Amino acid sequence: MKINILLKFISKNLVIFLCLFFLFVPFFWFPHNEINLGGDSGRLYFFEQNSYFHNLVFFSDNVIGALGVSSPLFFMIPFLLLLSFLKVVLPDFPSALNCFFSGLLLLGSFLFTYLSIKELLKNKVWGLVESAAIVGGLFFTLSPI
């Protein structure tokens, strides 16, 4: 009897459970204290703020030009100082922000694919539309293609 009530509750709220799953799953797969910059290929680029801040030359001149050109990296100093300050105050802030952003990407891809399929098939039988929209959203979000 209680299992039947639990199954009805899960079936009615499956989309909400999947959205919460996609929002929180990146917190378990990314390394801490690094920011994923992504990329177009299959590899990931990780960025550690303090190492970047210590190994970057902010004032470089182009000796080939007649007057020399200042590097635009000079304008990154306030941004990098803010990131370094936030990392000192909140040690997991960069990785938490990165995981939250990646979770929003997964959540958005699933939710809007689900809603699009549901809108396209809105005049059909409800059970088939709902299941097709959930399967389509899962396929779009989890497909490596």
Side-chain angles (χ1 to χ4, degrees):
M1 186 70 161
K2 291 185 179 188
I3 294 174
N4 199 9
I5 295 170
L6 181 65
L7 288 176
K8 284 182 183 179
F9 177 75
I10 290 174
S11 66
K12 287 184 179 181
N13 297 316
L14 181 62
V15 174
I16 295 170
F17 290 138
L18 286 172
C19 288
L20 289 174
F21 171 76
F22 284 127
L23 184 63
F24 290 113
V25 78
F27 285 95
F28 300 107
W29 88 48
F30 285 125
H32 291 288
N33 296 325
E34 292 181 344
I35 295 176
N36 171 21
L37 296 177
D40 289 339
S41 64
R43 63 185 180 271
L44 297 175
Y45 297 101
F46 292 105
F47 173 70
E48 208 280 313
Q49 298 89 352
N50 290 337
S51 297
Y52 184 76
F53 191 67
H54 291 297
N55 295 320
L56 185 66
V57 177
F58 290 107
F59 302 101
S60 63
D61 290 330
N62 185 0
V63 295
I64 297 174
L67 299 174
V69 179
S70 294
S71 174
L73 300 176
F74 168 79
F75 300 107
M76 290 177 53
I77 292 175
F79 177 69
L80 290 174
L81 285 175
L82 176 67
L83 281 179
S84 297
F85 174 73
L86 288 173
K87 189 169 182 176
V88 168
V89 174
L90 304 166
D92 278 344
F93 174 75
S95 61
L97 185 65
N98 178 47
C99 291
F100 182 69
F101 179 71
S102 299
L104 284 178
L105 289 175
L106 288 173
L107 169 69
S109 68
F110 170 75
L111 188 62
F112 289 112
T113 305
Y114 164 78
L115 291 173
S116 298
I117 293 172
K118 194 171 179 179
E119 182 67 25
L120 287 171
L121 302 175
K122 66 181 174 183
N123 294 329
K124 307 297 181 221
V125 179
W126 185 83
L128 295 177
V129 171
E130 189 73 19
S131 60
I134 290 173
V135 169
L138 286 173
F139 179 75
F140 180 77
T141 304
L142 300 175
S143 174
I145 296 176

PDB file of all heavy atoms in Angstrom, residues 46-82:
ATOM      1  N   PHE A  46      41.539  22.923 -16.974  1.00  0.00           N
ATOM      2  CA  PHE A  46      41.331  23.335 -15.600  1.00  0.00           C
ATOM      3  C   PHE A  46      42.218  24.530 -15.292  1.00  0.00           C
ATOM      4  O   PHE A  46      43.353  24.625 -15.750  1.00  0.00           O
ATOM      5  CB  PHE A  46      41.613  22.190 -14.631  1.00  0.00           C
ATOM      6  CG  PHE A  46      40.616  21.092 -14.740  1.00  0.00           C
ATOM      7  CD1 PHE A  46      40.934  19.900 -15.356  1.00  0.00           C
ATOM      8  CD2 PHE A  46      39.337  21.253 -14.254  1.00  0.00           C
ATOM      9  CE1 PHE A  46      40.010  18.886 -15.457  1.00  0.00           C
ATOM     10  CE2 PHE A  46      38.390  20.251 -14.358  1.00  0.00           C
ATOM     11  CZ  PHE A  46      38.737  19.073 -14.958  1.00  0.00           C
ATOM     12  N   PHE A  47      41.717  25.430 -14.503  1.00  0.00           N
ATOM     13  CA  PHE A  47      42.364  26.700 -14.205  1.00  0.00           C
ATOM     14  C   PHE A  47      42.465  26.856 -12.699  1.00  0.00           C
ATOM     15  O   PHE A  47      41.461  26.818 -12.001  1.00  0.00           O
ATOM     16  CB  PHE A  47      41.519  27.823 -14.818  1.00  0.00           C
ATOM     17  CG  PHE A  47      41.952  29.202 -14.467  1.00  0.00           C
ATOM     18  CD1 PHE A  47      43.122  29.712 -14.970  1.00  0.00           C
ATOM     19  CD2 PHE A  47      41.176  29.994 -13.639  1.00  0.00           C
ATOM     20  CE1 PHE A  47      43.510  30.993 -14.660  1.00  0.00           C
ATOM     21  CE2 PHE A  47      41.557  31.270 -13.322  1.00  0.00           C
ATOM     22  CZ  PHE A  47      42.733  31.772 -13.836  1.00  0.00           C
ATOM     23  N   GLU A  48      43.674  26.999 -12.180  1.00  0.00           N
ATOM     24  CA  GLU A  48      43.873  27.233 -10.758  1.00  0.00           C
ATOM     25  C   GLU A  48      44.336  28.673 -10.596  1.00  0.00           C
ATOM     26  O   GLU A  48      45.383  29.061 -11.108  1.00  0.00           O
ATOM     27  CB  GLU A  48      44.915  26.252 -10.222  1.00  0.00           C
ATOM     28  CG  GLU A  48      44.776  25.899  -8.768  1.00  0.00           C
ATOM     29  CD  GLU A  48      45.338  26.961  -7.860  1.00  0.00           C
ATOM     30  OE1 GLU A  48      46.450  27.424  -8.111  1.00  0.00           O
ATOM     31  OE2 GLU A  48      44.648  27.338  -6.918  1.00  0.00           O
ATOM     32  N   GLN A  49      43.551  29.493  -9.893  1.00  0.00           N
ATOM     33  CA  GLN A  49      43.732  30.939  -9.900  1.00  0.00           C
ATOM     34  C   GLN A  49      45.076  31.384  -9.340  1.00  0.00           C
ATOM     35  O   GLN A  49      45.743  32.232  -9.931  1.00  0.00           O
ATOM     36  CB  GLN A  49      42.627  31.634  -9.094  1.00  0.00           C
ATOM     37  CG  GLN A  49      41.276  31.432  -9.633  1.00  0.00           C
ATOM     38  CD  GLN A  49      40.635  30.184  -9.068  1.00  0.00           C
ATOM     39  OE1 GLN A  49      41.259  29.396  -8.377  1.00  0.00           O
ATOM     40  NE2 GLN A  49      39.389  29.989  -9.378  1.00  0.00           N
ATOM     41  N   ASN A  50      45.478  30.847  -8.202  1.00  0.00           N
ATOM     42  CA  ASN A  50      46.705  31.334  -7.575  1.00  0.00           C
ATOM     43  C   ASN A  50      47.940  31.009  -8.401  1.00  0.00           C
ATOM     44  O   ASN A  50      48.867  31.817  -8.496  1.00  0.00           O
ATOM     45  CB  ASN A  50      46.832  30.780  -6.160  1.00  0.00           C
ATOM     46  CG  ASN A  50      45.795  31.397  -5.237  1.00  0.00           C
ATOM     47  OD1 ASN A  50      45.301  32.490  -5.509  1.00  0.00           O
ATOM     48  ND2 ASN A  50      45.454  30.700  -4.181  1.00  0.00           N
ATOM     49  N   SER A  51      47.993  29.835  -9.006  1.00  0.00           N
ATOM     50  CA  SER A  51      49.132  29.500  -9.862  1.00  0.00           C
ATOM     51  C   SER A  51      49.183  30.409 -11.078  1.00  0.00           C
ATOM     52  O   SER A  51      50.253  30.845 -11.496  1.00  0.00           O
ATOM     53  CB  SER A  51      49.035  28.044 -10.320  1.00  0.00           C
ATOM     54  OG  SER A  51      49.097  27.194  -9.228  1.00  0.00           O
ATOM     55  N   TYR A  52      48.038  30.700 -11.637  1.00  0.00           N
ATOM     56  CA  TYR A  52      47.981  31.606 -12.780  1.00  0.00           C
ATOM     57  C   TYR A  52      48.432  33.001 -12.393  1.00  0.00           C
ATOM     58  O   TYR A  52      49.166  33.663 -13.113  1.00  0.00           O
ATOM     59  CB  TYR A  52      46.557  31.636 -13.329  1.00  0.00           C
ATOM     60  CG  TYR A  52      46.379  32.463 -14.576  1.00  0.00           C
ATOM     61  CD1 TYR A  52      46.817  31.987 -15.799  1.00  0.00           C
ATOM     62  CD2 TYR A  52      45.772  33.707 -14.525  1.00  0.00           C
ATOM     63  CE1 TYR A  52      46.656  32.730 -16.949  1.00  0.00           C
ATOM     64  CE2 TYR A  52      45.611  34.458 -15.665  1.00  0.00           C
ATOM     65  CZ  TYR A  52      46.044  33.972 -16.877  1.00  0.00           C
ATOM     66  OH  TYR A  52      45.892  34.710 -18.015  1.00  0.00           O
ATOM     67  N   PHE A  53      48.006  33.460 -11.227  1.00  0.00           N
ATOM     68  CA  PHE A  53      48.342  34.802 -10.760  1.00  0.00           C
ATOM     69  C   PHE A  53      49.839  34.956 -10.512  1.00  0.00           C
ATOM     70  O   PHE A  53      50.421  35.992 -10.796  1.00  0.00           O
ATOM     71  CB  PHE A  53      47.551  35.088  -9.481  1.00  0.00           C
ATOM     72  CG  PHE A  53      47.611  36.511  -9.038  1.00  0.00           C
ATOM     73  CD1 PHE A  53      47.023  37.513  -9.792  1.00  0.00           C
ATOM     74  CD2 PHE A  53      48.237  36.855  -7.859  1.00  0.00           C
ATOM     75  CE1 PHE A  53      47.055  38.819  -9.386  1.00  0.00           C
ATOM     76  CE2 PHE A  53      48.277  38.164  -7.439  1.00  0.00           C
ATOM     77  CZ  PHE A  53      47.684  39.154  -8.203  1.00  0.00           C
ATOM     78  N   HIS A  54      50.485  33.889 -10.021  1.00  0.00           N
ATOM     79  CA  HIS A  54      51.915  33.957  -9.719  1.00  0.00           C
ATOM     80  C   HIS A  54      52.794  33.755 -10.948  1.00  0.00           C
ATOM     81  O   HIS A  54      53.954  34.182 -10.950  1.00  0.00           O
ATOM     82  CB  HIS A  54      52.278  32.926  -8.655  1.00  0.00           C
ATOM     83  CG  HIS A  54      51.718  33.227  -7.314  1.00  0.00           C
ATOM     84  ND1 HIS A  54      52.057  34.348  -6.588  1.00  0.00           N
ATOM     85  CD2 HIS A  54      50.821  32.573  -6.562  1.00  0.00           C
ATOM     86  CE1 HIS A  54      51.398  34.372  -5.456  1.00  0.00           C
ATOM     87  NE2 HIS A  54      50.625  33.292  -5.418  1.00  0.00           N
ATOM     88  N   ASN A  55      52.298  33.136 -11.984  1.00  0.00           N
ATOM     89  CA  ASN A  55      53.125  32.804 -13.139  1.00  0.00           C
ATOM     90  C   ASN A  55      52.828  33.643 -14.367  1.00  0.00           C
ATOM     91  O   ASN A  55      53.272  33.306 -15.459  1.00  0.00           O
ATOM     92  CB  ASN A  55      52.942  31.324 -13.495  1.00  0.00           C
ATOM     93  CG  ASN A  55      53.447  30.427 -12.407  1.00  0.00           C
ATOM     94  OD1 ASN A  55      54.479  30.690 -11.808  1.00  0.00           O
ATOM     95  ND2 ASN A  55      52.709  29.371 -12.123  1.00  0.00           N
ATOM     96  N   LEU A  56      52.119  34.725 -14.223  1.00  0.00           N
ATOM     97  CA  LEU A  56      51.751  35.547 -15.355  1.00  0.00           C
ATOM     98  C   LEU A  56      52.524  36.851 -15.340  1.00  0.00           C
ATOM     99  O   LEU A  56      52.696  37.475 -14.291  1.00  0.00           O
ATOM    100  CB  LEU A  56      50.247  35.845 -15.323  1.00  0.00           C
ATOM    101  CG  LEU A  56      49.669  36.592 -16.494  1.00  0.00           C
ATOM    102  CD1 LEU A  56      49.767  35.735 -17.757  1.00  0.00           C
ATOM    103  CD2 LEU A  56      48.229  36.925 -16.225  1.00  0.00           C
ATOM    104  N   VAL A  57      52.995  37.269 -16.500  1.00  0.00           N
ATOM    105  CA  VAL A  57      53.672  38.556 -16.631  1.00  0.00           C
ATOM    106  C   VAL A  57      52.631  39.577 -17.064  1.00  0.00           C
ATOM    107  O   VAL A  57      52.050  39.475 -18.140  1.00  0.00           O
ATOM    108  CB  VAL A  57      54.807  38.470 -17.684  1.00  0.00           C
ATOM    109  CG1 VAL A  57      55.471  39.807 -17.877  1.00  0.00           C
ATOM    110  CG2 VAL A  57      55.807  37.418 -17.274  1.00  0.00           C
ATOM    111  N   PHE A  58      52.380  40.558 -16.205  1.00  0.00           N
ATOM    112  CA  PHE A  58      51.345  41.533 -16.501  1.00  0.00           C
ATOM    113  C   PHE A  58      51.845  42.683 -17.358  1.00  0.00           C
ATOM    114  O   PHE A  58      51.098  43.293 -18.095  1.00  0.00           O
ATOM    115  CB  PHE A  58      50.757  42.102 -15.208  1.00  0.00           C
ATOM    116  CG  PHE A  58      49.941  41.117 -14.454  1.00  0.00           C
ATOM    117  CD1 PHE A  58      50.414  40.550 -13.297  1.00  0.00           C
ATOM    118  CD2 PHE A  58      48.696  40.740 -14.919  1.00  0.00           C
ATOM    119  CE1 PHE A  58      49.655  39.640 -12.612  1.00  0.00           C
ATOM    120  CE2 PHE A  58      47.926  39.830 -14.239  1.00  0.00           C
ATOM    121  CZ  PHE A  58      48.416  39.278 -13.075  1.00  0.00           C
ATOM    122  N   PHE A  59      53.131  43.014 -17.237  1.00  0.00           N
ATOM    123  CA  PHE A  59      53.671  44.155 -17.969  1.00  0.00           C
ATOM    124  C   PHE A  59      54.703  43.666 -18.964  1.00  0.00           C
ATOM    125  O   PHE A  59      55.874  43.530 -18.662  1.00  0.00           O
ATOM    126  CB  PHE A  59      54.333  45.143 -17.002  1.00  0.00           C
ATOM    127  CG  PHE A  59      53.407  45.632 -15.953  1.00  0.00           C
ATOM    128  CD1 PHE A  59      53.439  45.108 -14.680  1.00  0.00           C
ATOM    129  CD2 PHE A  59      52.481  46.616 -16.248  1.00  0.00           C
ATOM    130  CE1 PHE A  59      52.574  45.558 -13.712  1.00  0.00           C
ATOM    131  CE2 PHE A  59      51.610  47.071 -15.287  1.00  0.00           C
ATOM    132  CZ  PHE A  59      51.658  46.548 -14.013  1.00  0.00           C
ATOM    133  N   SER A  60      54.262  43.375 -20.155  1.00  0.00           N
ATOM    134  CA  SER A  60      55.205  42.971 -21.193  1.00  0.00           C
ATOM    135  C   SER A  60      55.108  43.973 -22.337  1.00  0.00           C
ATOM    136  O   SER A  60      54.035  44.474 -22.640  1.00  0.00           O
ATOM    137  CB  SER A  60      54.902  41.561 -21.695  1.00  0.00           C
ATOM    138  OG  SER A  60      53.638  41.529 -22.296  1.00  0.00           O
ATOM    139  N   ASP A  61      56.235  44.283 -22.914  1.00  0.00           N
ATOM    140  CA  ASP A  61      56.277  45.237 -24.024  1.00  0.00           C
ATOM    141  C   ASP A  61      56.652  44.519 -25.296  1.00  0.00           C
ATOM    142  O   ASP A  61      57.435  43.570 -25.303  1.00  0.00           O
ATOM    143  CB  ASP A  61      57.298  46.345 -23.749  1.00  0.00           C
ATOM    144  CG  ASP A  61      56.842  47.276 -22.655  1.00  0.00           C
ATOM    145  OD1 ASP A  61      55.612  47.440 -22.514  1.00  0.00           O
ATOM    146  OD2 ASP A  61      57.698  47.809 -21.940  1.00  0.00           O
ATOM    147  N   ASN A  62      56.096  44.990 -26.368  1.00  0.00           N
ATOM    148  CA  ASN A  62      56.416  44.471 -27.678  1.00  0.00           C
ATOM    149  C   ASN A  62      57.592  45.283 -28.214  1.00  0.00           C
ATOM    150  O   ASN A  62      57.447  46.445 -28.579  1.00  0.00           O
ATOM    151  CB  ASN A  62      55.197  44.603 -28.587  1.00  0.00           C
ATOM    152  CG  ASN A  62      55.415  43.984 -29.934  1.00  0.00           C
ATOM    153  OD1 ASN A  62      56.488  43.452 -30.205  1.00  0.00           O
ATOM    154  ND2 ASN A  62      54.393  44.038 -30.774  1.00  0.00           N
ATOM    155  N   VAL A  63      58.767  44.676 -28.233  1.00  0.00           N
ATOM    156  CA  VAL A  63      59.963  45.419 -28.641  1.00  0.00           C
ATOM    157  C   VAL A  63      60.057  45.572 -30.152  1.00  0.00           C
ATOM    158  O   VAL A  63      60.869  46.330 -30.646  1.00  0.00           O
ATOM    159  CB  VAL A  63      61.242  44.747 -28.107  1.00  0.00           C
ATOM    160  CG1 VAL A  63      61.273  44.808 -26.610  1.00  0.00           C
ATOM    161  CG2 VAL A  63      61.338  43.317 -28.596  1.00  0.00           C
ATOM    162  N   ILE A  64      59.244  44.882 -30.909  1.00  0.00           N
ATOM    163  CA  ILE A  64      59.292  44.997 -32.366  1.00  0.00           C
ATOM    164  C   ILE A  64      58.634  46.303 -32.806  1.00  0.00           C
ATOM    165  O   ILE A  64      59.097  46.969 -33.714  1.00  0.00           O
ATOM    166  CB  ILE A  64      58.610  43.776 -33.018  1.00  0.00           C
ATOM    167  CG1 ILE A  64      59.381  42.514 -32.649  1.00  0.00           C
ATOM    168  CG2 ILE A  64      58.523  43.941 -34.527  1.00  0.00           C
ATOM    169  CD1 ILE A  64      58.730  41.238 -33.097  1.00  0.00           C
ATOM    170  N   GLY A  65      57.555  46.681 -32.138  1.00  0.00           N
ATOM    171  CA  GLY A  65      56.852  47.914 -32.499  1.00  0.00           C
ATOM    172  C   GLY A  65      57.678  49.141 -32.131  1.00  0.00           C
ATOM    173  O   GLY A  65      58.560  49.109 -31.273  1.00  0.00           O
ATOM    174  N   ALA A  66      57.400  50.264 -32.777  1.00  0.00           N
ATOM    175  CA  ALA A  66      58.157  51.492 -32.546  1.00  0.00           C
ATOM    176  C   ALA A  66      57.939  52.026 -31.126  1.00  0.00           C
ATOM    177  O   ALA A  66      58.887  52.447 -30.470  1.00  0.00           O
ATOM    178  CB  ALA A  66      57.756  52.545 -33.568  1.00  0.00           C
ATOM    179  N   LEU A  67      56.708  52.006 -30.650  1.00  0.00           N
ATOM    180  CA  LEU A  67      56.427  52.555 -29.328  1.00  0.00           C
ATOM    181  C   LEU A  67      56.281  51.473 -28.261  1.00  0.00           C
ATOM    182  O   LEU A  67      56.298  51.772 -27.071  1.00  0.00           O
ATOM    183  CB  LEU A  67      55.137  53.388 -29.374  1.00  0.00           C
ATOM    184  CG  LEU A  67      55.175  54.590 -30.316  1.00  0.00           C
ATOM    185  CD1 LEU A  67      53.807  55.245 -30.384  1.00  0.00           C
ATOM    186  CD2 LEU A  67      56.216  55.578 -29.832  1.00  0.00           C
ATOM    187  N   GLY A  68      56.121  50.259 -28.656  1.00  0.00           N
ATOM    188  CA  GLY A  68      55.891  49.180 -27.699  1.00  0.00           C
ATOM    189  C   GLY A  68      54.410  49.117 -27.345  1.00  0.00           C
ATOM    190  O   GLY A  68      53.709  50.120 -27.319  1.00  0.00           O
ATOM    191  N   VAL A  69      53.938  47.955 -27.080  1.00  0.00           N
ATOM    192  CA  VAL A  69      52.523  47.754 -26.786  1.00  0.00           C
ATOM    193  C   VAL A  69      52.402  47.097 -25.419  1.00  0.00           C
ATOM    194  O   VAL A  69      53.048  46.092 -25.153  1.00  0.00           O
ATOM    195  CB  VAL A  69      51.864  46.856 -27.864  1.00  0.00           C
ATOM    196  CG1 VAL A  69      50.407  46.617 -27.542  1.00  0.00           C
ATOM    197  CG2 VAL A  69      52.019  47.486 -29.242  1.00  0.00           C
ATOM    198  N   SER A  70      51.584  47.673 -24.554  1.00  0.00           N
ATOM    199  CA  SER A  70      51.354  47.056 -23.251  1.00  0.00           C
ATOM    200  C   SER A  70      50.433  45.854 -23.422  1.00  0.00           C
ATOM    201  O   SER A  70      49.532  45.864 -24.251  1.00  0.00           O
ATOM    202  CB  SER A  70      50.715  48.055 -22.291  1.00  0.00           C
ATOM    203  OG  SER A  70      51.626  49.082 -22.018  1.00  0.00           O
ATOM    204  N   SER A  71      50.674  44.872 -22.615  1.00  0.00           N
ATOM    205  CA  SER A  71      49.860  43.662 -22.681  1.00  0.00           C
ATOM    206  C   SER A  71      48.477  43.933 -22.095  1.00  0.00           C
ATOM    207  O   SER A  71      48.345  44.593 -21.068  1.00  0.00           O
ATOM    208  CB  SER A  71      50.553  42.549 -21.897  1.00  0.00           C
ATOM    209  OG  SER A  71      49.729  41.434 -21.831  1.00  0.00           O
ATOM    210  N   PRO A  72      47.426  43.410 -22.706  1.00  0.00           N
ATOM    211  CA  PRO A  72      46.084  43.609 -22.124  1.00  0.00           C
ATOM    212  C   PRO A  72      45.871  42.815 -20.840  1.00  0.00           C
ATOM    213  O   PRO A  72      44.851  42.958 -20.195  1.00  0.00           O
ATOM    214  CB  PRO A  72      45.151  43.130 -23.233  1.00  0.00           C
ATOM    215  CG  PRO A  72      45.967  42.197 -24.039  1.00  0.00           C
ATOM    216  CD  PRO A  72      47.372  42.709 -23.967  1.00  0.00           C
ATOM    217  N   LEU A  73      46.830  41.974 -20.444  1.00  0.00           N
ATOM    218  CA  LEU A  73      46.703  41.214 -19.217  1.00  0.00           C
ATOM    219  C   LEU A  73      46.759  42.104 -17.983  1.00  0.00           C
ATOM    220  O   LEU A  73      46.371  41.698 -16.894  1.00  0.00           O
ATOM    221  CB  LEU A  73      47.783  40.140 -19.145  1.00  0.00           C
ATOM    222  CG  LEU A  73      47.763  39.122 -20.282  1.00  0.00           C
ATOM    223  CD1 LEU A  73      48.934  38.173 -20.167  1.00  0.00           C
ATOM    224  CD2 LEU A  73      46.464  38.359 -20.262  1.00  0.00           C
ATOM    225  N   PHE A  74      47.220  43.331 -18.147  1.00  0.00           N
ATOM    226  CA  PHE A  74      47.253  44.296 -17.058  1.00  0.00           C
ATOM    227  C   PHE A  74      45.849  44.542 -16.499  1.00  0.00           C
ATOM    228  O   PHE A  74      45.664  44.720 -15.299  1.00  0.00           O
ATOM    229  CB  PHE A  74      47.853  45.607 -17.576  1.00  0.00           C
ATOM    230  CG  PHE A  74      47.684  46.756 -16.656  1.00  0.00           C
ATOM    231  CD1 PHE A  74      48.511  46.907 -15.563  1.00  0.00           C
ATOM    232  CD2 PHE A  74      46.690  47.696 -16.875  1.00  0.00           C
ATOM    233  CE1 PHE A  74      48.365  47.973 -14.709  1.00  0.00           C
ATOM    234  CE2 PHE A  74      46.531  48.761 -16.028  1.00  0.00           C
ATOM    235  CZ  PHE A  74      47.367  48.908 -14.935  1.00  0.00           C
ATOM    236  N   PHE A  75      44.845  44.492 -17.346  1.00  0.00           N
ATOM    237  CA  PHE A  75      43.485  44.781 -16.926  1.00  0.00           C
ATOM    238  C   PHE A  75      42.817  43.609 -16.213  1.00  0.00           C
ATOM    239  O   PHE A  75      41.718  43.748 -15.715  1.00  0.00           O
ATOM    240  CB  PHE A  75      42.641  45.204 -18.132  1.00  0.00           C
ATOM    241  CG  PHE A  75      43.200  46.424 -18.796  1.00  0.00           C
ATOM    242  CD1 PHE A  75      43.846  46.343 -20.012  1.00  0.00           C
ATOM    243  CD2 PHE A  75      43.099  47.655 -18.186  1.00  0.00           C
ATOM    244  CE1 PHE A  75      44.363  47.460 -20.611  1.00  0.00           C
ATOM    245  CE2 PHE A  75      43.619  48.790 -18.773  1.00  0.00           C
ATOM    246  CZ  PHE A  75      44.256  48.694 -19.991  1.00  0.00           C
ATOM    247  N   MET A  76      43.487  42.478 -16.148  1.00  0.00           N
ATOM    248  CA  MET A  76      42.945  41.323 -15.434  1.00  0.00           C
ATOM    249  C   MET A  76      43.266  41.347 -13.945  1.00  0.00           C
ATOM    250  O   MET A  76      42.743  40.547 -13.183  1.00  0.00           O
ATOM    251  CB  MET A  76      43.493  40.027 -16.042  1.00  0.00           C
ATOM    252  CG  MET A  76      42.955  39.730 -17.405  1.00  0.00           C
ATOM    253  SD  MET A  76      43.660  38.251 -18.135  1.00  0.00           S
ATOM    254  CE  MET A  76      43.385  37.025 -16.900  1.00  0.00           C
ATOM    255  N   ILE A  77      44.130  42.268 -13.509  1.00  0.00           N
ATOM    256  CA  ILE A  77      44.570  42.283 -12.110  1.00  0.00           C
ATOM    257  C   ILE A  77      43.402  42.411 -11.134  1.00  0.00           C
ATOM    258  O   ILE A  77      43.314  41.620 -10.190  1.00  0.00           O
ATOM    259  CB  ILE A  77      45.633  43.386 -11.888  1.00  0.00           C
ATOM    260  CG1 ILE A  77      46.912  43.007 -12.622  1.00  0.00           C
ATOM    261  CG2 ILE A  77      45.910  43.576 -10.405  1.00  0.00           C
ATOM    262  CD1 ILE A  77      47.986  44.059 -12.581  1.00  0.00           C
ATOM    263  N   PRO A  78      42.461  43.354 -11.293  1.00  0.00           N
ATOM    264  CA  PRO A  78      41.360  43.422 -10.314  1.00  0.00           C
ATOM    265  C   PRO A  78      40.515  42.147 -10.285  1.00  0.00           C
ATOM    266  O   PRO A  78      40.115  41.694  -9.199  1.00  0.00           O
ATOM    267  CB  PRO A  78      40.527  44.616 -10.774  1.00  0.00           C
ATOM    268  CG  PRO A  78      41.429  45.413 -11.621  1.00  0.00           C
ATOM    269  CD  PRO A  78      42.395  44.465 -12.236  1.00  0.00           C
ATOM    270  N   PHE A  79      40.251  41.564 -11.442  1.00  0.00           N
ATOM    271  CA  PHE A  79      39.466  40.338 -11.495  1.00  0.00           C
ATOM    272  C   PHE A  79      40.183  39.190 -10.805  1.00  0.00           C
ATOM    273  O   PHE A  79      39.586  38.448 -10.019  1.00  0.00           O
ATOM    274  CB  PHE A  79      39.155  39.991 -12.953  1.00  0.00           C
ATOM    275  CG  PHE A  79      38.409  38.709 -13.124  1.00  0.00           C
ATOM    276  CD1 PHE A  79      37.098  38.597 -12.699  1.00  0.00           C
ATOM    277  CD2 PHE A  79      39.022  37.615 -13.698  1.00  0.00           C
ATOM    278  CE1 PHE A  79      36.409  37.411 -12.850  1.00  0.00           C
ATOM    279  CE2 PHE A  79      38.341  36.430 -13.851  1.00  0.00           C
ATOM    280  CZ  PHE A  79      37.026  36.330 -13.428  1.00  0.00           C
ATOM    281  N   LEU A  80      41.478  39.038 -11.071  1.00  0.00           N
ATOM    282  CA  LEU A  80      42.238  37.958 -10.438  1.00  0.00           C
ATOM    283  C   LEU A  80      42.400  38.187  -8.939  1.00  0.00           C
ATOM    284  O   LEU A  80      42.390  37.236  -8.159  1.00  0.00           O
ATOM    285  CB  LEU A  80      43.603  37.821 -11.109  1.00  0.00           C
ATOM    286  CG  LEU A  80      43.568  37.272 -12.533  1.00  0.00           C
ATOM    287  CD1 LEU A  80      44.941  37.319 -13.160  1.00  0.00           C
ATOM    288  CD2 LEU A  80      43.039  35.860 -12.539  1.00  0.00           C
ATOM    289  N   LEU A  81      42.533  39.449  -8.517  1.00  0.00           N
ATOM    290  CA  LEU A  81      42.596  39.738  -7.086  1.00  0.00           C
ATOM    291  C   LEU A  81      41.269  39.406  -6.403  1.00  0.00           C
ATOM    292  O   LEU A  81      41.248  38.884  -5.288  1.00  0.00           O
ATOM    293  CB  LEU A  81      42.969  41.196  -6.847  1.00  0.00           C
ATOM    294  CG  LEU A  81      44.433  41.549  -7.091  1.00  0.00           C
ATOM    295  CD1 LEU A  81      44.645  43.044  -6.949  1.00  0.00           C
ATOM    296  CD2 LEU A  81      45.332  40.790  -6.143  1.00  0.00           C
ATOM    297  N   LEU A  82      40.163  39.697  -7.065  1.00  0.00           N
ATOM    298  CA  LEU A  82      38.863  39.348  -6.515  1.00  0.00           C
ATOM    299  C   LEU A  82      38.717  37.836  -6.387  1.00  0.00           C
ATOM    300  O   LEU A  82      38.250  37.327  -5.356  1.00  0.00           O
ATOM    301  CB  LEU A  82      37.743  39.925  -7.380  1.00  0.00           C
ATOM    302  CG  LEU A  82      36.323  39.548  -6.970  1.00  0.00           C
ATOM    303  CD1 LEU A  82      35.990  40.183  -5.624  1.00  0.00           C
ATOM    304  CD2 LEU A  82      35.328  39.960  -8.027  1.00  0.00           C
TER     305      LEU A  82
END
